[in-house]
Amino acid sequence: MDSEQTVRTFLDFFRDRGHHILPGAGLVRPPGDPVLFTTSGMHPLTDYLTGRPHPAGRRLADVQRCLRTTDLDEVGDPTHLTAFQMLGSWSLGDYDSTRSVTWAYELLVDGYGIPPARLHATVFGGDTGRPGDALGPDTATERAWGGLGVPVERLGPDNWWTNGPTGPCGPDSEIFVWTGGGDPAGTPGTDPRWVEVWNHVSMCWQRRADGSLHRLPRGSVDTGMGLERLVTILQGKPSVYDSDVFDAWREVLPGLWEGDPATHRVTADHLRSAAVLVADGVRPAATGHGYVLRRLVRRVLAVLWREDPDRTLADLPPEPVEVSLRHFGLRSDRVREVLLDEERRFAAQLVRGRRVLSQGRFTGGLGEDDYAYLHDTHGLPRDLVDALRAER
């Protein structure tokens, strides 16, 4: 099942169960939001999860583009991406977590064909991990999984979901799929071949500014499942970069720029994410949203130029970018222009950077303060500084 079929199957499943399909929000969060970008499917729906009526009703579903920079150092491993799609479903004071996980089982087994024996679930085992917040285990969801024949494990504070120091929160049930060969072994906590695919959160509590928990008058259910990770499992691939989502990048990058597979993965992720940001209206800048875009582009250029200073993003054909934008439901004819302009700006900064590094204070060993100064003042990342010093 390819990524497009996977999305259709998800949306059709929830549409058939009375869910209104939302169009999905943009990546850039409005002024006043504590974060720059949409980081999860529930992010645009936070107000409705705390009780505000949604104009489309009490059952919702969508495919939401998201971007996270907290895992940049993990990008390139089998599961982490900077920009990704989140499949989500919501019950705004309608059905509870027991129905939600029952439907999840039906979709995964009957809709996607995952053998029941390859499923494992975890539930909140009690105690939110904060003094004075001791709560009992989520026995209702635990019984629901047990009734479906799915092994279920109680975990403590790790299965308490929160979006920050304040706001809606509640017990979380996580669904894992066995990705190893042979019969499943161990549990998600003991064997990394169990891969998490879907979270189901009972949003029944509100964390206030003083840290206290207060039960919401109308509990909701928020679920989120990473599309790229799900597709990888359905296609039996070892990593998200081996799924059909990255076919166009795998066809182009090895023949375009020599490098090891890890380098090609990071390059594909960062350029793909940069294209999505540009298509969503972001432009490179020294701060805010634009700084994230600038950082992604310059991380790629630092890697490319470390191997060969004559490499240029102008050599990148349009197909991978166009395919990626379609995957995110976006269109733009400005991506190439923005990337090349940022490349020119970075190249000019490097000329200035070489002059800076020729100063006496940088001829010996560099400390953390030196690296911070070179990055913050001259826009030179650590790995590029090391590469420039190695030129001598």
Side-chain angles (χ1 to χ4, degrees):
M1 184 176 290
D2 64 25
S3 54
E4 291 185 2
Q5 292 172 312
T6 303
V7 170
R8 286 198 303 270
T9 299
F10 180 88
L11 296 180
D12 288 346
F13 180 90
F14 283 100
R15 185 184 289 111
D16 290 345
R17 286 155 182 78
H19 292 66
H20 177 82
I21 307 303
L22 300 174
L27 277 179
V28 177
R29 302 304 304 148
D33 198 295
V35 299
L36 293 174
F37 299 105
T38 298
T39 58
S40 65
M42 62 78 62
H43 202 153
L45 296 171
T46 302
D47 289 345
Y48 304 104
L49 290 167
T50 57
R52 177 182 169 190
H54 194 285
R58 298 169 66 183
R59 296 185 181 188
L60 309 172
D62 76 359
V63 183
Q64 174 62 52
R65 55 187 178 273
C66 304
L67 187 138
R68 295 177 185 172
T69 58
T70 53
D71 298 326
L72 272 184
D73 291 335
E74 306 296 328
V75 167
D77 73 2
T79 60
H80 285 90
L81 296 170
T82 306
F84 57 96
Q85 295 270 62
M86 185 72 78
L87 304 171
S89 65
W90 294 273
S91 163
L92 304 180
D94 192 331
Y95 55 85
D96 61 13
S97 65
T98 61
R99 175 174 290 187
S100 183
V101 300
T102 300
W103 280 345
Y105 177 89
E106 292 177 10
L107 177 57
L108 293 174
V109 173
D110 299 330
Y112 290 131
I114 297 175
R118 291 175 58 198
L119 297 179
H120 199 297
T122 62
V123 297
F124 178 62
D127 184 3
T128 68
R130 296 184 55 152
D133 284 347
L135 296 173
D138 183 6
T139 55
T141 307
E142 183 180 39
R143 286 194 300 269
W145 283 122
L148 294 167
V150 175
V152 59
E153 179 182 10
R154 288 187 184 183
L155 296 179
D158 287 346
N159 270 54
W160 179 266
W161 192 94
T162 178
N163 195 39
T166 62
C169 53
D172 176 22
S173 181
E174 299 176 346
I175 308 172
F176 294 79
V177 176
W178 176 255
T179 61
D183 295 332
T187 67
T190 62
D191 196 312
R193 289 174 293 181
W194 286 105
V195 174
E196 177 190 339
V197 292
W198 205 351
N199 283 358
H200 289 243
V201 182
S202 296
M203 292 286 193
C204 50
W205 297 92
Q206 175 86 358
R207 176 82 65 185
R208 295 184 178 174
D210 62 2
S212 61
L213 285 175
H214 296 266
R215 183 173 286 276
L216 290 167
R218 185 187 69 174
S220 299
V221 179
D222 158 47
T223 88
M225 177 163 54
L227 170 60
E228 290 84 355
R229 188 177 296 188
L230 173 63
V231 167
T232 300
I233 291 172
L234 296 181
Q235 295 176 0
K237 301 297 184 180
S239 82
V240 290
Y241 301 95
D242 296 299
S243 71
D244 74 306
V245 174
F246 282 89
D247 279 351
W249 294 97
R250 289 199 313 275
E251 292 171 2
V252 167
L253 291 185
L256 182 63
W257 299 314
E258 291 185 4
D260 57 37
T263 298
H264 289 149
R265 288 179 175 186
V266 173
T267 300
D269 171 88
H270 285 13
L271 290 179
R272 174 178 181 262
S273 301
V276 172
L277 286 172
V278 172
D280 237 345
V282 179
R283 295 294 179 267
T287 60
H289 304 91
Y291 177 73
V292 173
L293 173 56
R294 172 162 288 171
R295 185 182 180 196
L296 289 171
V297 176
R298 293 189 177 190
R299 280 171 65 100
V300 170
L301 291 171
V303 171
L304 296 180
W305 290 346
R306 185 176 60 219
E307 301 295 330
D308 182 353
D310 291 328
R311 290 176 173 175
T312 172
L313 297 179
D315 294 334
L316 181 69
E319 287 79 13
V321 169
E322 292 173 352
V323 170
S324 294
L325 291 185
R326 285 199 299 272
H327 174 74
F328 285 93
L330 296 169
R331 296 180 61 185
S332 175
D333 57 2
R334 299 290 304 280
V335 174
R336 180 181 179 85
E337 172 190 341
V338 172
L339 294 182
L340 293 182
D341 182 65
E342 184 60 20
E343 180 180 288
R344 287 189 291 268
R345 291 175 182 272
F346 192 35
Q349 280 198 333
L350 291 185
V351 172
R352 296 192 298 271
R354 290 187 175 94
R355 289 200 298 265
V356 172
L357 290 174
S358 68
Q359 298 174 11
R361 62 176 288 193
F362 301 120
T363 56
L366 299 183
E368 291 302 319
D369 290 344
D370 296 317
Y371 280 113
Y373 168 79
L374 291 168
H375 180 274
D376 297 341
T377 304
H378 299 282
L380 301 172
R382 178 189 289 260
D383 54 358
L384 191 56
V385 168
D386 293 339
L388 291 175
R389 283 162 53 84
E391 292 177 353
R392 299 170 181 171

